[in-house]
Amino acid sequence: MPTYVYKCAKCEHTFEVQAKMSDPPPTEGCPECGCTVLDKVIQAVGSILKGSGWFKKGGY
Ligand SMILES: [Zn+2]
């Protein structure tokens, strides 16, 4: 199951969601503030993630 990364438009918290390709964004919204406006972050391997900070709690 692929993992998608979403960024909250309100508090900019990023979090990962495991979902099927066809699944919509998580309806429960941001786990930090509950905002349901989420930007889908294109998940790429390597240099884009490097130094961005959030991946260290994501198990990479
Ligand atoms: Zn938020």
Side-chain angles (χ1 to χ4, degrees), residues 39-58:
D39 294 324
K40 195 173 189 176
V41 179
I42 303 297
Q43 187 172 29
V45 209
S47 60
I48 294 180
L49 300 183
K50 197 175 171 185
S52 62
W54 53 262
F55 65 93
K56 61 189 171 189
K57 58 186 174 184

Side-chain angles (χ1 to χ4, degrees), residues 8 10-13 30 32-35:
C8 173
K10 189 174 178 181
C11 72
E12 301 191 333
H13 176 70
C30 172
E32 291 293 311
C33 72
C35 176

Side-chain angles (χ1 to χ4, degrees), residues 11-46:
C11 72
E12 301 191 333
H13 176 70
T14 53
F15 57 101
E16 297 177 1
V17 174
Q18 289 193 334
K20 293 193 285 282
M21 300 264 269
S22 54
D23 279 357
T27 51
E28 65 268 27
C30 172
E32 291 293 311
C33 72
C35 176
T36 53
V37 183
L38 304 172
D39 294 324
K40 195 173 189 176
V41 179
I42 303 297
Q43 187 172 29
V45 209

